[in-house]
């Protein structure tokens, strides 16, 4: 039996219902779609008139007019574009998902037409967004020529439509929406202005509306009003102009317009990319941290336009999260959208655009760091924490991002900064590692006993004071071949002479340290310290274990269950008088009860020095009091 070929059956009423109620997530996009259609219609006749100016009929004052009529409950979008004939209106509006714009562009491509206009329509469903807010739509249109050859199309969006021939004085198209009772808000002038500003602010052609305004009056005269035609959109897409034509003041004005910021941007990036993927970008690096970055979910601050038509301001694919502080506009010519034009489809072009912009932004920041370090410091103080996220997010650009990071260090004054490349450049020849220490603030770190040995040896230690630094260093194990090493973890390298001295001292204190190790349950080991030169004790984590600062951070986040049950190492300074005194006490009488008490004090002292809290302050006080009593009795 041979195969039978059949056509799909379509329930037009149900299909229209899906398009008008499920395709779009925001109702106001209906106005964007209709204005975009009008804009395309104007571009078409402008193009066609290049070879036949008579079709303009003297009507080339290009504009799209919005006419709200609250009494009649209608909203009209009128243009003086190319218009539609009876055949085209049946073909384009009577056939769902047939796009007249798409057919027009295809014809141009067949003719290999040069300088063809940029048109955004591609699916042929945007017009039907009208039925989200209207229970009936009337379209009156005509092409150039006979005024009596106009055509009227009308439908309630339930599956059928009517067409009749009418007289229309002027070429173009009027789309009349008979608004639903619950959608009359879209007839309010303020709502129209807001929607046009959001979606169509930078269209080339003016979007106008008649508004009532007060006339200028002389003293003593009564107030009178008049109807004037007001242009609702700015039209000037600054990113489409040449950089040489734009002043700093114009860039700042536009930046303030899209960000609602009161300050000028720290840096402006304006460039064009041509080739297989074409786009224009106007990006701004802010001078200070935007308010919305202080709370809520991380969100992109780029506005995506396609041929001047606003698509979205929430496109995470355009820039990675660690650059979310960048504001601006990206205008592409041919990005693939979903049918409702509210979301981008996954496409290699998006990846190409993102890589290009990331490269440009990082290069701009590097240039700023090299040429204007003081200004870069201001930027980094405000936004450096966010930039650091890139170390763990962007493997390809990890080292470029690392080059941009700034840190205070033991070699800088408080409030002054160095960078990883400067650190490596100034390292002694025999130093193989980049040392760092993480804590709550500079004052706490400056007083840390972990730094004493490094200062004595003239070795610089980076001081990190932000919560994310823990995750940043975990993602950056090395920089330019030099490993990053925490100053409060593992053992420090020592010379042969130092090792010999350590071995001799270790033997002398071995029995005492063994006793203390048994008495202090919280520690994994008691050992001699290579770090300490002034303090008596400090706590050190194993090389790959969680550090004290990370434990405190996890506790603050309520993640106590995520803290591994590992013990740290108690390091003692054999040259410190307090440690010597405990050793002398042990040598005199290993059974002296005070030895365990003093050992406990050295441990608790180390806990306080690292910025942690003593778990049992009452017990700590009792030990001190008991020791005072016993010493006084001796």
């Amino acid at each position: 039996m041979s195969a039978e070929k059949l056509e799909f059956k379509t329930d037009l009423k149900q299909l229209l219902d899906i398009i008008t109620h499920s395709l779009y997530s925001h109702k106001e996009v209906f106005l964007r779609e209709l204005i975009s259609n009008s804009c395309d219609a104007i571009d078409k006749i402008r193009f066609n008139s290049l070879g036949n100016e008579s079709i303009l009929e003297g009507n080339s004052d290009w504009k799209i007019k919005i006419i709200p009529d609250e009494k009649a409950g209608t909203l009209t979008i009128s243009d003086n574009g190319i218009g539609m004939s009876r055949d085209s209106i049946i073909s384009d509006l009577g056939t769902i998902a047939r796009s007249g714009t798409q057919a027009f562009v295809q014809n141009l491509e067949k003719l290999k037409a040069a300088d063809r206009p940029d048109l955004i329509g591609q699916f042929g469903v945007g017009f039907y967004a009208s039925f989200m807010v209207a229970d009936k739509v009337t379209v009156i249109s005509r092409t150039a020529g006979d005024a009596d050859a106009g055509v009227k199309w009308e439908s309630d969006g339930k599956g059928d439509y009517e067409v009749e021939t009418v007289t229309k004085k002027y070429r173009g198209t009027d789309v009349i929406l008979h608004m639903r009772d619950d959608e009359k808000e879209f007839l309010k002038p303020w709502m129209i202005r807001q929607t046009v500003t959001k979606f169509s602010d930078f269209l080339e052609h003016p979007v106008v509306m008649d508004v009532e305004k007060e006339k200028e009056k002389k003293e003593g005269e009564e107030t009178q009003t008049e109807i004037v035609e007001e242009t609702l959109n700015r039209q000037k897409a600054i990113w489409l102009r040449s950089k040489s034509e734009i002043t700093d003041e114009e860039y700042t004005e536009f930046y303030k317009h899209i960000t609602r910021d009161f300050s000028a941007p720290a840096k402006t990036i304006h460039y064009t990319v041509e080739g297989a993927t074409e786009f224009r970008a106007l990006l701004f690096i802010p001078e200070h941290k935007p308010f919305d970055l202080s709370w809520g979910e991380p969100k992109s601050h780029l506005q995506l336009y396609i041929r001047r038509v606003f698509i979205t301001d929430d496109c995470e694919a355009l820039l990675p999260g660690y650059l979310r502080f960048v504001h601006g506009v990206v205008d592409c010519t041919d990005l693939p959208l979903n049918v409702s034009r509210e979301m981008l489809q996954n496409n290699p072009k998006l990846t190409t655009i993102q890589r290009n912009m990331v490269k440009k932004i990082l290069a701009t920041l590097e240039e700023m760091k090299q040429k204007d370090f003081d200004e870069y410091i201001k930027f980094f103080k405000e936004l450096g924490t966010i930039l650091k996220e890139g170390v763990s997010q962007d493997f390809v650009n990890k080292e470029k991002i690392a080059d941009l990071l700034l840190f205070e260090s033991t070699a800088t004054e408080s409030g002054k900064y160095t960078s990883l490349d400067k650190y490596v450049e100034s390292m002694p020849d025999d130093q193989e590692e980049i040392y760092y220490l993480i804590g709550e603030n500079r004052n706490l770190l400056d007083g840390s006993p972990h730094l004493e040995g490094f200062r004595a040896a003239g070795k610089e230690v980076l001081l990190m004071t932000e919560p994310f630094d823990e995750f940043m260093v975990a993602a950056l194990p090395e920089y330019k071949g030099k490993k990053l090493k925490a100053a409060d973890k593992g053992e420090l390298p020592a010379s042969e002479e130092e090792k010999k001295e350590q071995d001799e001292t270790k033997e002398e204190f071995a029995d005492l340290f063994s006793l203390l190790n048994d008495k202090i349950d919280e520690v994994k080991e008691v050992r001699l310290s290579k770090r300490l030169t002034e303090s008596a004790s400090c706590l050190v984590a194993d090389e790959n274990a969680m550090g004290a600062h990370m434990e405190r951070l996890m506790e603050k986040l309520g993640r106590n269950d995520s803290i591994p049950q590992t013990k740290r190492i108690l390091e003692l300074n054999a040259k410190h008088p307090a440690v010597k005194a405990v050793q002398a006490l042990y040598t005199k009488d290993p059974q002296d009860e005070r030895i365990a008490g003093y050992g406990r004090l050295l441990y608790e002292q180390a806990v306080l020095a690292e910025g942690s809290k003593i778990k049992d302050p009452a017990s700590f006080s009792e030990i001190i009091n008991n020791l005072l009593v016993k010493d006084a009795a001796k």
Side-chain angles (χ1 to χ4, degrees), residues 39-55:
C39 191
D40 285 352
I42 291 173
D43 286 336
K44 289 176 188 178
I45 195 165
R46 287 176 65 193
F47 183 82
N48 287 349
S49 69
L50 295 176
N52 182 12
E53 197 169 325
S54 64
I55 65 173

Side-chain angles (χ1 to χ4, degrees), residues 70-172:
E70 293 194 58
K71 289 184 179 179
T74 61
L75 181 67
T76 301
I77 295 86
S78 177
D79 67 65
N80 56 348
I82 196 167
M84 290 181 283
S85 65
R86 183 183 180 91
D87 289 342
S88 64
I89 210 168
I90 291 173
S91 174
D92 295 339
L93 300 188
T95 307
I96 296 174
R98 175 182 174 84
S99 170
T101 297
Q102 188 179 56
F104 178 72
V105 171
Q106 288 172 350
N107 288 333
L108 292 183
E109 289 174 345
K110 289 177 183 177
L111 296 172
K112 297 182 179 179
D115 300 322
R116 62 176 181 263
D118 285 331
L119 306 168
I120 191 169
Q122 40 182 329
F123 295 108
V125 297
F127 166 78
Y128 301 98
S130 305
F131 290 107
M132 290 193 297
V133 295
D135 50 27
K136 184 171 71 173
V137 178
T138 303
V139 179
I140 301 173
S141 185
R142 84 163 172 87
T143 57
D146 187 359
D148 293 327
V151 59
K152 177 181 177 182
W153 180 98
E154 194 166 80
S155 176
D156 60 4
K158 294 181 180 178
D160 53 28
Y161 60 90
E162 295 178 356
V163 179
E164 63 177 297
T165 301
V166 296
T167 298
K168 189 176 189 304
K169 186 176 181 180
Y170 299 108
R171 180 204 70 244

Side-chain angles (χ1 to χ4, degrees), residues 75-276:
L75 181 67
T76 301
I77 295 86
S78 177
D79 67 65
N80 56 348
I82 196 167
M84 290 181 283
S85 65
R86 183 183 180 91
D87 289 342
S88 64
I89 210 168
I90 291 173
S91 174
D92 295 339
L93 300 188
T95 307
I96 296 174
R98 175 182 174 84
S99 170
T101 297
Q102 188 179 56
F104 178 72
V105 171
Q106 288 172 350
N107 288 333
L108 292 183
E109 289 174 345
K110 289 177 183 177
L111 296 172
K112 297 182 179 179
D115 300 322
R116 62 176 181 263
D118 285 331
L119 306 168
I120 191 169
Q122 40 182 329
F123 295 108
V125 297
F127 166 78
Y128 301 98
S130 305
F131 290 107
M132 290 193 297
V133 295
D135 50 27
K136 184 171 71 173
V137 178
T138 303
V139 179
I140 301 173
S141 185
R142 84 163 172 87
T143 57
D146 187 359
D148 293 327
V151 59
K152 177 181 177 182
W153 180 98
E154 194 166 80
S155 176
D156 60 4
K158 294 181 180 178
D160 53 28
Y161 60 90
E162 295 178 356
V163 179
E164 63 177 297
T165 301
V166 296
T167 298
K168 189 176 189 304
K169 186 176 181 180
Y170 299 108
R171 180 204 70 244
T173 300
D174 301 330
V175 178
I176 305 161
L177 308 183
H178 303 265
M179 305 298 284
R180 302 178 191 276
D181 289 338
D182 57 347
E183 304 295 350
K184 296 287 179 71
E185 184 180 44
F186 287 106
L187 297 175
K188 302 292 184 183
W190 68 266
M191 186 63 169
I192 294 170
R193 280 195 189 89
Q194 178 178 294
T195 306
V196 170
T197 298
K198 179 177 180 180
F199 291 108
S200 309
D201 204 21
F202 301 106
L203 286 179
E204 179 181 2
H205 307 301
V207 180
V208 303
M209 179 174 65
D210 288 340
V211 296
E212 186 177 10
K213 290 190 175 181
E214 291 185 0
K215 288 183 178 180
E216 289 188 19
K217 64 176 183 177
K218 296 179 181 179
E219 191 175 345
E221 289 183 342
E222 291 186 5
T223 301
Q224 293 184 325
T225 60
E226 62 179 338
I227 301 298
V228 297
E229 191 174 79
E230 178 184 312
T231 300
L232 306 180
N233 60 327
R234 293 159 62 94
Q235 293 177 251
K236 296 179 180 178
I238 187 173
W239 61 86
L240 298 181
R241 294 163 54 192
S242 170
K243 286 195 294 184
S244 60
E245 299 174 359
I246 306 172
T247 64
D248 290 341
E249 289 74 19
E250 287 178 301
Y251 278 131
T252 299
E253 180 189 355
F254 181 73
Y255 169 75
K256 291 180 178 180
H257 170 70
I258 63 173
T259 64
R260 304 295 185 264
D261 194 357
F262 296 105
S263 306
K267 212 71 179 175
T268 299
I269 306 170
H270 186 187
Y271 73 111
T272 301
V273 173
E274 297 177 343

Side-chain angles (χ1 to χ4, degrees), residues 11-62:
D11 184 339
L12 289 179
K13 182 178 179 180
Q14 186 176 7
L15 182 57
L16 269 174
D17 186 74
I18 291 171
I19 291 173
T20 58
H21 296 102
S22 303
L23 193 58
Y24 296 92
S25 56
H26 302 289
K27 289 182 178 180
E28 67 266 26
V29 299
F30 83 90
L31 192 54
R32 176 194 72 183
E33 297 294 334
L34 296 178
I35 290 174
S36 295
N37 288 346
S38 292
C39 191
D40 285 352
I42 291 173
D43 286 336
K44 289 176 188 178
I45 195 165
R46 287 176 65 193
F47 183 82
N48 287 349
S49 69
L50 295 176
N52 182 12
E53 197 169 325
S54 64
I55 65 173
L56 295 179
E57 298 180 339
N59 182 7
S60 58
D61 180 19
W62 311 116

